[in-house]
Coordinates of all heavy atoms in Angstrom, one line a residue:
M295 N 153.8 -110.8 99.5 CA 154.5 -109.9 98.6 C 153.7 -109.6 97.3 O 153.6 -108.5 96.9 CB 155.9 -110.6 98.2 CG 156.8 -109.7 97.4 SD 157.2 -108.1 98.2 CE 158.2 -107.3 97.0
K296 N 153.1 -110.7 96.8 CA 152.3 -110.5 95.6 C 151.1 -109.5 95.9 O 150.8 -108.7 95.1 CB 151.7 -111.8 95.1 CG 152.6 -112.4 94.0 CD 151.9 -113.6 93.4 CE 152.9 -114.3 92.4 NZ 152.5 -115.7 92.2
K297 N 150.6 -109.7 97.0 CA 149.4 -108.8 97.4 C 149.9 -107.4 97.5 O 149.2 -106.5 97.1 CB 148.8 -109.3 98.7 CG 147.8 -110.4 98.5 CD 147.0 -110.7 99.8 CE 146.0 -111.8 99.5 NZ 145.7 -112.6 100.7
I298 N 151.1 -107.2 98.1 CA 151.6 -105.8 98.2 C 151.8 -105.2 96.8 O 151.4 -104.1 96.6 CB 152.9 -105.8 99.0 CG1 152.6 -106.2 100.5 CG2 153.5 -104.4 99.0 CD1 153.8 -106.4 101.3
L299 N 152.4 -106.0 95.9 CA 152.6 -105.4 94.6 C 151.3 -105.1 93.9 O 151.1 -104.1 93.2 CB 153.4 -106.5 93.7 CG 154.9 -106.6 94.0 CD1 155.5 -107.7 93.2 CD2 155.5 -105.2 93.8
L300 N 150.3 -106.0 94.1 CA 149.0 -105.8 93.4 C 148.4 -104.5 94.0 O 147.9 -103.7 93.2 CB 148.1 -107.0 93.7 CG 146.7 -106.9 93.1 CD1 146.9 -106.9 91.5 CD2 145.9 -108.1 93.5
A301 N 148.5 -104.3 95.3 CA 147.9 -103.1 95.9 C 148.6 -101.9 95.4 O 147.9 -100.9 95.0 CB 148.0 -103.2 97.4
A302 N 149.9 -101.9 95.2 CA 150.6 -100.8 94.7 C 150.2 -100.5 93.2 O 150.0 -99.4 92.9 CB 152.1 -101.1 94.7
A303 N 150.0 -101.6 92.5 CA 149.6 -101.4 91.1 C 148.2 -100.7 91.0 O 148.0 -99.8 90.2 CB 149.6 -102.7 90.3
I304 N 147.3 -101.1 91.9 CA 146.0 -100.5 91.9 C 146.0 -99.1 92.3 O 145.4 -98.2 91.7 CB 145.0 -101.3 92.9 CG1 144.8 -102.7 92.3 CG2 143.8 -100.6 93.1 CD1 144.1 -103.7 93.3
V305 N 146.8 -98.7 93.3 CA 147.0 -97.3 93.7 C 147.5 -96.5 92.6 O 147.0 -95.4 92.3 CB 147.9 -97.2 95.0 CG1 148.3 -95.8 95.2 CG2 147.2 -97.8 96.2
L306 N 148.5 -97.0 91.9 CA 149.1 -96.3 90.7 C 148.0 -96.1 89.6 O 147.9 -95.0 89.1 CB 150.3 -97.0 90.2 CG 151.6 -96.9 91.0 CD1 152.7 -97.8 90.4 CD2 152.0 -95.4 91.0
T307 N 147.3 -97.1 89.4 CA 146.3 -97.0 88.3 C 145.2 -96.0 88.7 O 144.9 -95.2 87.9 CB 145.6 -98.4 88.1 OG1 146.6 -99.4 87.9 CG2 144.7 -98.4 86.9
V308 N 144.7 -96.1 89.9 CA 143.7 -95.2 90.3 C 144.2 -93.7 90.2 O 143.5 -92.8 89.8 CB 143.2 -95.5 91.7 CG1 142.2 -94.4 92.2 CG2 142.4 -96.8 91.7
G309 N 145.5 -93.6 90.7 CA 146.0 -92.3 90.7 C 146.1 -91.7 89.3 O 145.7 -90.5 89.1
S310 N 146.5 -92.5 88.3 CA 146.6 -91.9 86.9 C 145.2 -91.7 86.3 O 145.0 -90.8 85.5 CB 147.4 -92.8 86.0 OG 146.8 -94.1 86.0
V311 N 144.2 -92.5 86.7 CA 142.8 -92.2 86.2 C 142.3 -90.9 86.8 O 141.8 -90.1 86.1 CB 141.9 -93.4 86.6 CG1 140.4 -93.0 86.3 CG2 142.2 -94.6 85.7
Q312 N 142.6 -90.7 88.1 CA 142.1 -89.4 88.7 C 142.8 -88.2 88.0 O 142.1 -87.2 87.8 CB 142.4 -89.4 90.2 CG 141.4 -90.2 91.0 CD 141.8 -90.3 92.4 OE1 142.9 -90.1 92.8 NE2 140.8 -90.6 93.3
A313 N 144.0 -88.4 87.7 CA 144.7 -87.3 87.1 C 144.3 -87.1 85.6 O 144.7 -86.1 85.0 CB 146.2 -87.5 87.1
N314 N 143.6 -88.0 85.1 CA 143.2 -88.0 83.7 C 141.8 -88.3 83.4 O 141.5 -89.4 82.9 CB 144.2 -88.9 82.9 CG 144.1 -88.8 81.4 OD1 143.2 -88.1 81.0 ND2 145.0 -89.4 80.7
P315 N 140.9 -87.4 83.7 CA 139.4 -87.7 83.5 C 139.1 -87.9 82.1 O 138.1 -88.6 81.8 CB 138.8 -86.4 84.1 CG 139.8 -85.4 84.1 CD 141.1 -86.1 84.3
Y316 N 139.9 -87.4 81.2 CA 139.7 -87.7 79.7 C 139.6 -89.2 79.5 O 138.8 -89.6 78.7 CB 140.8 -87.0 78.9 CG 140.7 -87.3 77.4 CD1 139.9 -86.6 76.6 CD2 141.5 -88.3 76.8 CE1 139.8 -86.8 75.3 CE2 141.4 -88.6 75.5 CZ 140.6 -87.8 74.7 OH 140.5 -88.1 73.3
M317 N 140.5 -89.9 80.1 CA 140.5 -91.4 80.0 C 139.4 -92.0 80.8 O 138.7 -92.9 80.3 CB 141.9 -92.0 80.4 CG 143.1 -91.5 79.6 SD 143.0 -92.0 77.9 CE 143.4 -93.8 78.1
A318 N 139.2 -91.5 82.0 CA 138.3 -92.1 82.9 C 136.8 -92.0 82.4 O 136.0 -92.9 82.6 CB 138.4 -91.5 84.3
L319 N 136.5 -90.9 81.8 CA 135.2 -90.7 81.3 C 134.9 -91.3 79.9 O 133.8 -91.2 79.4 CB 134.9 -89.2 81.3 CG 134.8 -88.5 82.7 CD1 134.8 -87.0 82.5 CD2 133.7 -89.0 83.5
G320 N 135.9 -91.8 79.3 CA 135.7 -92.5 78.0 C 135.7 -91.6 76.8 O 135.3 -92.0 75.7
C321 N 136.1 -90.4 77.0 CA 136.3 -89.4 75.9 C 137.2 -90.0 74.8 O 137.0 -89.8 73.6 CB 136.9 -88.1 76.3 SG 136.2 -87.4 77.9
V322 N 138.1 -90.8 75.3 CA 139.1 -91.4 74.4 C 138.5 -92.3 73.3 O 139.0 -92.4 72.2 CB 140.2 -92.2 75.2 CG1 139.5 -93.3 76.0 CG2 141.3 -92.8 74.4
G323 N 137.3 -92.9 73.7 CA 136.7 -93.8 72.8 C 136.3 -93.2 71.4 O 136.3 -93.8 70.4
C324 N 136.0 -91.9 71.5 CA 135.6 -91.2 70.2 C 136.6 -90.2 69.8 O 136.8 -90.0 68.6 CB 134.3 -90.4 70.5 SG 132.8 -91.5 70.7
H325 N 137.3 -89.5 70.7 CA 138.3 -88.5 70.4 C 139.7 -89.0 70.2 O 140.6 -88.2 69.9 CB 138.2 -87.3 71.4 CG 136.9 -86.6 71.3 ND1 136.7 -85.6 70.3 CD2 135.8 -86.6 72.0 CE1 135.5 -85.1 70.4 NE2 134.9 -85.7 71.5
G326 N 139.9 -90.3 70.5 CA 141.2 -90.9 70.2 C 142.2 -90.8 71.3 O 142.0 -90.0 72.2
V327 N 143.2 -91.6 71.3 CA 144.3 -91.5 72.3 C 144.9 -90.2 72.3 O 145.3 -89.6 71.3 CB 145.4 -92.6 72.0 CG1 146.5 -92.5 73.0 CG2 144.7 -94.0 72.0
N328 N 145.0 -89.6 73.5 CA 145.6 -88.2 73.7 C 144.9 -87.2 72.8 O 145.5 -86.2 72.5 CB 147.1 -88.2 73.4 CG 147.9 -89.0 74.5 OD1 147.4 -89.2 75.6 ND2 149.0 -89.5 74.1
G329 N 143.6 -87.4 72.4 CA 142.8 -86.4 71.7 C 143.3 -86.3 70.2 O 143.0 -85.3 69.6
A330 N 143.9 -87.4 69.7 CA 144.4 -87.3 68.3 C 143.3 -87.3 67.3 O 143.5 -87.1 66.1 CB 145.4 -88.4 68.1
G331 N 142.1 -87.7 67.7 CA 141.0 -87.7 66.8 C 140.7 -89.2 66.4 O 141.6 -90.0 66.3
A332 N 139.4 -89.5 66.2 CA 139.0 -90.8 65.8 C 137.7 -90.6 65.1 O 137.6 -90.0 64.0 CB 139.0 -91.8 66.9
S333 N 136.6 -91.2 65.7 CA 135.3 -90.9 65.1 C 134.8 -89.5 65.4 O 133.8 -89.0 64.8 CB 134.3 -92.0 65.6 OG 134.2 -91.9 67.0
A334 N 135.4 -88.8 66.3 CA 135.1 -87.5 66.7 C 136.3 -86.6 66.5 O 137.4 -87.0 66.3 CB 134.6 -87.4 68.2
P335 N 136.1 -85.2 66.4 CA 137.2 -84.3 66.1 C 138.4 -84.4 67.0 O 138.2 -84.7 68.2 CB 136.5 -82.9 66.2 CG 135.1 -83.2 66.2 CD 134.8 -84.6 66.7
A336 N 139.6 -84.2 66.4 CA 140.8 -84.1 67.2 C 140.7 -83.0 68.2 O 140.2 -81.9 67.9 CB 142.0 -84.0 66.3
L337 N 141.2 -83.2 69.4 CA 141.2 -82.2 70.5 C 142.6 -81.8 70.9 O 142.8 -80.9 71.7 CB 140.4 -82.6 71.7 CG 138.9 -83.0 71.4 CD1 138.2 -83.6 72.6 CD2 138.1 -81.7 70.9
A338 N 143.6 -82.6 70.5 CA 145.0 -82.4 71.0 C 145.5 -81.1 70.6 O 145.3 -80.6 69.4 CB 145.9 -83.5 70.4
G339 N 146.1 -80.4 71.5 CA 146.8 -79.1 71.2 C 145.8 -77.9 71.1 O 146.2 -76.8 70.8
K340 N 144.5 -78.2 71.3 CA 143.6 -77.0 71.2 C 143.8 -76.2 72.5 O 144.2 -76.6 73.5 CB 142.1 -77.6 71.2 CG 141.8 -78.4 70.0 CD 141.3 -77.6 68.8 CE 140.9 -78.6 67.7 NZ 140.7 -77.9 66.5
D341 N 143.4 -74.9 72.3 CA 143.5 -74.0 73.4 C 142.6 -74.4 74.6 O 141.4 -74.8 74.4 CB 143.0 -72.6 72.9 CG 143.1 -71.6 74.0 OD1 144.2 -71.3 74.6 OD2 142.0 -71.0 74.4
A342 N 143.2 -74.5 75.8 CA 142.5 -75.0 77.0 C 141.2 -74.2 77.3 O 140.1 -74.8 77.5 CB 143.4 -75.0 78.2
A343 N 141.3 -72.9 77.2 CA 140.1 -72.0 77.4 C 139.0 -72.3 76.4 O 137.8 -72.3 76.8 CB 140.5 -70.6 77.4
W344 N 139.4 -72.6 75.2 CA 138.4 -72.9 74.1 C 137.7 -74.2 74.5 O 136.5 -74.4 74.3 CB 139.1 -73.0 72.8 CG 138.1 -73.4 71.7 CD1 137.3 -72.5 71.0 CD2 137.9 -74.7 71.1 NE1 136.6 -73.3 70.0 CE2 136.9 -74.6 70.1 CE3 138.4 -75.9 71.4 CZ2 136.5 -75.7 69.4 CZ3 138.0 -77.0 70.7 CH2 137.0 -76.9 69.7
I345 N 138.5 -75.2 74.9 CA 137.9 -76.5 75.2 C 136.9 -76.4 76.4 O 135.8 -76.9 76.4 CB 139.0 -77.6 75.6 CG1 139.8 -77.9 74.3 CG2 138.4 -78.9 76.1 CD1 141.1 -78.8 74.6
V346 N 137.3 -75.7 77.4 CA 136.4 -75.5 78.6 C 135.1 -74.8 78.1 O 134.0 -75.2 78.5 CB 137.1 -74.6 79.7 CG1 136.1 -74.2 80.7 CG2 138.2 -75.3 80.3
K347 N 135.2 -73.8 77.2 CA 134.0 -73.1 76.7 C 133.1 -74.1 76.0 O 131.9 -74.0 76.1 CB 134.4 -71.9 75.9 CG 133.2 -71.2 75.4 CD 133.5 -69.9 74.7 CE 132.2 -69.1 74.5 NZ 131.1 -69.8 73.9
Q348 N 133.7 -74.9 75.1 CA 132.9 -75.9 74.3 C 132.1 -76.8 75.3 O 130.9 -77.1 75.1 CB 133.7 -76.7 73.4 CG 134.6 -75.9 72.4 CD 133.8 -74.8 71.7 OE1 132.7 -75.0 71.2 NE2 134.3 -73.6 71.9
L349 N 132.8 -77.3 76.3 CA 132.2 -78.2 77.3 C 131.0 -77.5 78.0 O 130.0 -78.1 78.2 CB 133.2 -78.8 78.3 CG 134.2 -79.7 77.6 CD1 135.3 -80.1 78.6 CD2 133.5 -81.0 77.1
K350 N 131.3 -76.3 78.4 CA 130.2 -75.5 79.1 C 129.0 -75.2 78.2 O 127.9 -75.3 78.6 CB 130.8 -74.2 79.7 CG 131.9 -74.3 80.6 CD 131.5 -74.1 82.0 CE 132.8 -74.1 82.9 NZ 132.5 -74.5 84.3
D351 N 129.3 -74.9 76.9 CA 128.3 -74.7 76.0 C 127.5 -76.0 75.7 O 126.3 -75.9 75.5 CB 128.8 -74.1 74.6 CG 129.3 -72.7 74.8 OD1 129.0 -72.0 75.8 OD2 129.9 -72.1 73.8
F352 N 128.2 -77.1 75.6 CA 127.4 -78.4 75.5 C 126.6 -78.6 76.7 O 125.4 -79.1 76.6 CB 128.4 -79.5 75.3 CG 129.0 -79.7 73.9 CD1 130.4 -79.8 73.7 CD2 128.2 -79.8 72.8 CE1 131.0 -79.9 72.5 CE2 128.8 -79.9 71.5 CZ 130.1 -80.0 71.4
Q353 N 127.1 -78.3 77.9 CA 126.3 -78.5 79.1 C 125.1 -77.7 79.2 O 124.0 -78.1 79.6 CB 127.2 -78.2 80.4 CG 128.2 -79.3 80.6 CD 129.3 -78.8 81.6 OE1 129.2 -77.7 82.1 NE2 130.3 -79.6 81.9
S354 N 125.2 -76.4 78.8 CA 124.1 -75.5 78.8 C 123.1 -75.6 77.7 O 122.0 -75.2 77.7 CB 124.6 -74.0 78.8 OG 125.1 -73.7 77.6
G355 N 123.6 -76.3 76.6 CA 122.7 -76.5 75.4 C 122.9 -75.4 74.4 O 122.3 -75.4 73.4
A356 N 123.8 -74.4 74.8 CA 124.1 -73.3 73.8 C 124.7 -73.9 72.5 O 124.5 -73.4 71.4 CB 125.1 -72.3 74.4
R357 N 125.5 -75.0 72.7 CA 126.0 -75.8 71.6 C 125.3 -77.1 71.6 O 125.3 -77.8 72.6 CB 127.5 -76.0 71.6 CG 128.0 -76.7 70.4 CD 129.5 -76.7 70.3 NE 129.9 -77.6 69.2 CZ 131.1 -77.8 68.9 NH1 132.2 -77.3 69.5 NH2 131.4 -78.7 67.9
K358 N 124.6 -77.5 70.5 CA 123.8 -78.7 70.4 C 124.5 -79.8 69.7 O 124.8 -79.7 68.5 CB 122.5 -78.4 69.8 CG 121.6 -77.4 70.6 CD 120.2 -77.3 70.1 CE 119.4 -76.2 70.7 NZ 119.9 -75.6 72.0
N359 N 124.6 -80.9 70.4 CA 125.0 -82.2 69.8 C 124.6 -83.3 70.8 O 125.1 -83.2 72.0 CB 126.5 -82.2 69.5 CG 127.0 -83.6 69.0 OD1 127.3 -84.5 69.8 ND2 126.9 -83.8 67.7
A360 N 123.7 -84.2 70.5 CA 123.1 -85.1 71.4 C 124.2 -85.8 72.2 O 124.1 -85.9 73.5 CB 122.2 -86.0 70.8
T361 N 125.2 -86.3 71.5 CA 126.2 -87.1 72.2 C 127.0 -86.2 73.2 O 127.1 -86.6 74.4 CB 127.2 -87.7 71.2 OG1 126.5 -88.5 70.2 CG2 128.3 -88.5 71.9
M362 N 127.4 -85.1 72.7 CA 128.3 -84.2 73.6 C 127.5 -83.5 74.7 O 128.0 -83.2 75.7 CB 129.0 -83.2 72.7 CG 130.3 -83.8 72.1 SD 131.3 -84.7 73.2 CE 131.7 -83.4 74.5
N363 N 126.2 -83.3 74.4 CA 125.4 -82.7 75.5 C 125.3 -83.7 76.7 O 125.4 -83.2 77.8 CB 123.9 -82.4 75.0 CG 123.9 -81.2 74.0 OD1 123.1 -81.2 73.1 ND2 124.7 -80.2 74.2
A364 N 125.3 -85.0 76.4 CA 125.4 -86.0 77.5 C 126.8 -86.1 78.1 O 127.0 -86.1 79.3 CB 124.9 -87.3 77.0
M365 N 127.8 -86.2 77.2 CA 129.1 -86.4 77.7 C 129.7 -85.2 78.5 O 130.3 -85.4 79.5 CB 130.1 -86.7 76.5 CG 129.9 -88.0 75.8 SD 130.0 -89.4 76.9 CE 131.6 -89.2 77.7
A366 N 129.3 -84.0 78.0 CA 129.8 -82.8 78.7 C 129.3 -82.8 80.2 O 129.9 -82.3 81.1 CB 129.5 -81.6 78.0
G367 N 128.0 -83.3 80.3 CA 127.5 -83.3 81.7 C 128.3 -84.2 82.6 O 128.5 -83.8 83.8
M368 N 128.8 -85.3 82.1 CA 129.6 -86.2 82.9 C 131.0 -85.5 83.3 O 131.6 -85.9 84.2 CB 129.9 -87.5 82.1 CG 128.7 -88.4 82.1 SD 129.1 -89.8 81.0 CE 130.6 -90.4 81.7
A369 N 131.4 -84.5 82.5 CA 132.7 -83.9 82.7 C 132.5 -82.7 83.7 O 133.5 -82.0 83.9 CB 133.3 -83.4 81.4
A370 N 131.3 -82.5 84.2 CA 131.1 -81.3 85.1 C 132.1 -81.3 86.2 O 132.3 -82.3 86.9 CB 129.7 -81.3 85.6
G371 N 132.8 -80.2 86.4 CA 133.7 -80.0 87.5 C 135.1 -80.4 87.1 O 136.1 -80.1 87.8
Q372 N 135.3 -81.1 86.0 CA 136.6 -81.5 85.5 C 137.0 -80.9 84.2 O 137.9 -81.4 83.5 CB 136.5 -83.1 85.4 CG 136.3 -83.7 86.8 CD 136.3 -85.2 86.7 OE1 135.5 -85.9 86.1 NE2 137.3 -85.8 87.4
E373 N 136.2 -79.9 83.7 CA 136.4 -79.3 82.4 C 137.9 -78.8 82.3 O 138.6 -79.1 81.3 CB 135.5 -78.1 82.2 CG 134.0 -78.5 82.2 CD 133.4 -78.4 83.5 OE1 134.1 -78.3 84.6 OE2 132.1 -78.4 83.6
Q374 N 138.4 -78.1 83.4 CA 139.7 -77.5 83.3 C 140.8 -78.6 83.2 O 141.7 -78.5 82.4 CB 139.9 -76.6 84.5 CG 141.2 -75.7 84.3 CD 141.1 -74.7 83.2 OE1 140.1 -74.0 83.1 NE2 142.1 -74.7 82.3
A375 N 140.6 -79.7 84.0 CA 141.6 -80.7 84.0 C 141.7 -81.4 82.7 O 142.8 -81.7 82.2 CB 141.3 -81.8 85.1
I376 N 140.5 -81.7 82.1 CA 140.5 -82.3 80.7 C 141.1 -81.3 79.7 O 141.9 -81.8 78.9 CB 139.0 -82.6 80.4 CG1 138.4 -83.7 81.3 CG2 138.9 -83.0 78.9 CD1 136.9 -83.9 81.1
A377 N 140.8 -80.1 79.8 CA 141.3 -79.1 78.8 C 142.8 -79.0 78.9 O 143.5 -78.9 77.9 CB 140.6 -77.8 79.0
D378 N 143.3 -78.9 80.2 CA 144.8 -78.8 80.4 C 145.5 -80.0 79.8 O 146.5 -79.9 79.2 CB 145.1 -78.6 81.9 CG 144.7 -77.3 82.4 OD1 144.5 -76.3 81.6 OD2 144.6 -77.1 83.6
F379 N 144.9 -81.2 80.0 CA 145.5 -82.5 79.5 C 145.6 -82.4 78.0 O 146.6 -82.7 77.4 CB 144.6 -83.7 80.0 CG 145.0 -84.9 79.3 CD1 146.1 -85.6 79.7 CD2 144.2 -85.5 78.3 CE1 146.5 -86.8 79.0 CE2 144.5 -86.7 77.7 CZ 145.7 -87.3 78.0
L380 N 144.4 -82.0 77.4 CA 144.4 -82.0 75.9 C 145.3 -80.9 75.3 O 146.0 -81.2 74.3 CB 143.0 -81.9 75.4 CG 142.1 -83.1 75.7 CD1 140.6 -82.7 75.5 CD2 142.5 -84.3 74.8
A381 N 145.3 -79.8 75.9 CA 146.1 -78.7 75.4 C 147.6 -79.0 75.4 O 148.4 -78.5 74.6 CB 145.8 -77.4 76.2
S382 N 148.0 -79.9 76.4 CA 149.4 -80.2 76.5 C 149.8 -81.3 75.5 O 151.0 -81.6 75.5 CB 149.6 -80.7 78.0 OG 149.1 -82.1 78.1
K383 N 148.9 -81.8 74.8 CA 149.2 -82.9 73.8 C 149.6 -82.4 72.5 O 149.2 -81.3 72.0 CB 148.0 -83.9 73.7 CG 147.7 -84.6 75.0 CD 148.9 -85.5 75.4 CE 148.8 -85.9 76.8 NZ 150.1 -86.5 77.3
Ligands
HEC673 C1 130.3 -91.2 71.6 C2 131.3 -90.4 71.0 C3 131.9 -89.2 71.9 C4 132.3 -89.2 73.2 C5 132.4 -90.4 74.1 C6 132.8 -87.9 73.5 N1 132.6 -87.1 72.4 FE1 133.2 -85.1 72.3 N2 132.4 -85.0 70.4 C7 131.8 -86.1 69.7 C8 131.3 -85.6 68.4 C9 130.6 -86.4 67.4 C10 131.7 -84.2 68.4 C11 131.3 -83.2 67.3 C12 130.1 -82.5 67.7 C13 129.6 -81.4 66.8 O1 129.7 -81.7 65.6 O2 129.1 -80.4 67.2 C14 132.3 -83.9 69.7 C15 132.8 -82.6 70.0 C16 133.6 -82.3 71.1 C17 134.3 -81.1 71.3 C18 134.3 -79.9 70.4 C19 135.3 -80.2 69.3 C20 135.2 -79.2 68.1 O3 136.1 -79.4 67.2 O4 134.4 -78.4 68.0 C21 134.9 -81.2 72.5 C22 135.7 -80.1 73.2 C23 134.6 -82.5 73.0 N3 133.8 -83.2 72.1 C24 135.1 -83.0 74.2 C25 134.8 -84.3 74.7 C26 135.1 -84.7 76.1 C27 135.9 -83.9 77.1 C28 134.6 -86.0 76.2 C29 134.6 -86.8 77.5 C30 133.9 -86.2 78.6 C31 133.9 -86.3 75.0 N4 134.0 -85.2 74.1 C32 133.3 -87.5 74.7 C33 131.7 -87.4 70.1 C34 132.1 -87.8 71.4

């Protein structure tokens, strides 16, 4: 029984991480819980299309910031999911 509960907990945890790449990729460490801001600018409630554009610009180097040029690369393919999550906060 304990093993079944543990397995269920793992499935639930993995599910929520997949649904939330903002947490999985560690963006939260600098941009704060739900994008409220911390050592890096707040992202909560920003326009989703604007967030996607910033991430693409960091990826291409059109926008330069050493930290974000690296972090945005990790977010490749998940820009929209991250932006939708933050825009909803
Ligand atoms: C190690 C700290 C750190 C991590 C981790 C980090 N960021 Fe950032 N982020 C920054 C800093 C610092 C800036 C401000 C860059 C600048 O001044 O141009 C920034 C800027 C941004 C911006 C533009 C905000 C604005 O107001 O112009 C977006 C969008 C963003 N980050 C998204 C993310 C996402 C998504 C992740 C996770 C994949 C992430 N960041 C991870 C430090 C971080």
Side-chain angles (χ1 to χ4, degrees):
M295 186 60 181
K296 267 190 185 159
K297 276 191 182 152
I298 293 171
L299 284 177
L300 184 63
I304 290 170
V305 168
L306 283 175
T307 307
V308 171
S310 59
V311 166
Q312 278 174 342
N314 191 349
Y316 176 81
M317 299 294 290
L319 293 172
C321 318
V322 62
C324 294
H325 290 281
V327 175
N328 291 337
S333 60
L337 301 172
K340 300 269 187 194
D341 179 62
W344 177 84
I345 293 173
V346 169
K347 180 171 191 312
Q348 302 316 304
L349 291 173
K350 301 255 184 204
D351 285 354
F352 281 128
Q353 286 165 3
S354 72
R357 182 170 173 182
K358 292 193 195 336
N359 175 270
T361 303
M362 279 311 304
N363 291 144
M365 288 307 302
M368 286 173 52
Q372 299 184 292
E373 297 90 347
Q374 191 67 52
I376 292 171
D378 288 343
F379 169 76
L380 291 168
S382 75
K383 293 301 165 191

